Amino acid sequence: MVAFALAMASEADDYRDRELGPIHLLKYLYLGDLAFAEINDGKSYSEAHWRFYKFGPWSAEVYEYLPRAGEVAGANVRHFESIYSEDGVRWSLPEPSNVDDIGSQLPPIVARAIKESVKVFHNDTYTLLHYVYRTAPMLTAAPGEALVFQVREEAGKYATTTPESEAPRKISKTQLKRIKERVRSYLADRGAHRKTVSPTVSYDADYFEILDLLDKEAGETIEESDGVLEFSTEVWKSEARRGSGIP
């Protein structure tokens, strides 16, 4: 699974997208396991134990095996200083590999999940984490708890968008040119019919009386204060987390 994710990354047009760190690889393996579990009675392909961690789905055993997996895949390793100790390393293949050959060694549904995810997110940590945090196992667990993979019917209750649907829609150069022309035409037409109006304001008694009424409508001034806002741990099991349109 690691080799396949790195092979997919090696095909990226931008060389900066060809490197993957521990967080990225962990999430791609998680998404592969998640897809496999949906049609295999909730059992993951890697058989790793996944938990709700501060960086989303996390498996200590997978994390510890990543250096060995990268070595077996023939990946180059780049170390760098980082405030995140878990993320001070990147792996990349020296040249594009035969993706089809590596993918054929995985169940089709696992290969497809990893392939689609890498093509969409590459090494964009922010959007990748945002996506995995919205998957069903994460939405039904609290920090520190083991993640439970549901079968497809149950997972559908908390269905999220697929990686492909989160990818930006591609627009051809011809379509882009037509859109620009329509916008220019609209703005030109709008500007031709717009008249500049400079209203005359009378700062009389009525003016200040209205301001006073508006201030009273807004209510009393809120005094500044500081403190600690605490949320109940029950929020993790709240239906609000599993509602549609989660920001």
Side-chain angles (χ1 to χ4, degrees):
M1 295 170 78
V2 171
F4 185 61
L6 289 172
M8 283 301 308
S10 70
E11 293 191 334
D13 294 332
D14 191 329
Y15 73 92
R16 291 170 295 186
D17 291 333
R18 298 170 192 167
E19 290 188 324
L20 298 179
I23 288 181
H24 313 119
L25 290 171
L26 275 163
K27 301 320 178 232
Y28 291 137
L29 266 64
Y30 163 78
L31 292 172
D33 272 355
L34 178 61
F36 183 85
E38 288 183 350
I39 60 172
N40 287 278
D41 299 321
K43 297 179 181 179
S44 69
Y45 175 67
S46 71
E47 298 184 355
H49 298 91
W50 295 96
R51 287 189 173 277
F52 186 142
Y53 191 55
K54 62 181 179 180
F55 294 130
W58 189 270
S59 169
E61 54 194 315
V62 173
Y63 173 72
E64 293 175 0
Y65 184 70
L66 287 179
R68 174 58 179 162
E71 181 182 343
V72 172
N76 292 330
V77 185
R78 181 173 68 87
H79 294 275
F80 58 95
E81 294 184 4
S82 172
I83 58 174
Y84 307 106
S85 59
E86 297 91 343
D87 211 24
V89 59
R90 291 287 186 272
W91 289 281
S92 62
L93 296 181
E95 57 185 23
S97 300
N98 192 320
V99 174
D100 293 334
D101 284 349
I102 300 175
S104 65
Q105 301 176 46
L106 297 171
I109 193 167
V110 174
R112 183 165 61 251
I114 295 176
K115 178 179 181 179
E116 292 175 350
S117 300
V118 175
K119 287 175 64 177
V120 171
F121 302 114
H122 300 291
N123 53 21
D124 186 340
T125 305
Y126 177 82
T127 54
L128 177 57
L129 289 181
H130 181 71
Y131 178 73
V132 296
Y133 263 110
R134 297 174 63 197
T135 55
M138 286 293 294
L139 293 178
T140 53
E145 291 185 351
L147 299 182
V148 178
F149 293 146
Q150 297 93 358
V151 296
R152 179 166 291 170
E153 291 74 17
E154 294 177 348
K157 290 169 58 181
Y158 314 120
T160 56
T161 54
T162 59
E164 309 99 290
S165 63
E166 293 204 358
R169 183 179 176 184
K170 294 183 178 180
I171 301 176
S172 67
K173 292 183 178 180
T174 301
Q175 290 177 312
L176 184 60
K177 183 178 179 181
R178 290 175 179 174
I179 291 173
K180 288 181 178 180
E181 290 175 349
R182 290 176 61 185
V183 171
R184 291 195 189 98
S185 177
Y186 170 77
L187 293 176
D189 183 65
R190 186 179 179 183
H193 295 83
R194 176 179 292 179
K195 294 182 179 179
T196 302
V197 178
S198 299
T200 301
V201 181
S202 299
Y203 297 97
D204 51 16
D206 290 338
Y207 174 85
F208 291 104
E209 182 180 355
I210 292 173
L211 286 183
D212 185 52
L213 288 173
L214 290 175
D215 288 338
K216 290 180 180 180
E217 283 291 326
E220 296 181 3
T221 302
I222 299 176
E223 296 182 3
E224 292 186 7
S225 62
D226 55 40
V228 177
L229 181 63
E230 296 184 357
F231 292 89
S232 168
T233 55
E234 295 179 359
V235 71
W236 297 107
K237 303 294 183 178
S238 169
E239 285 295 326
R241 291 191 67 223
R242 299 183 285 276
S244 60
I246 299 173

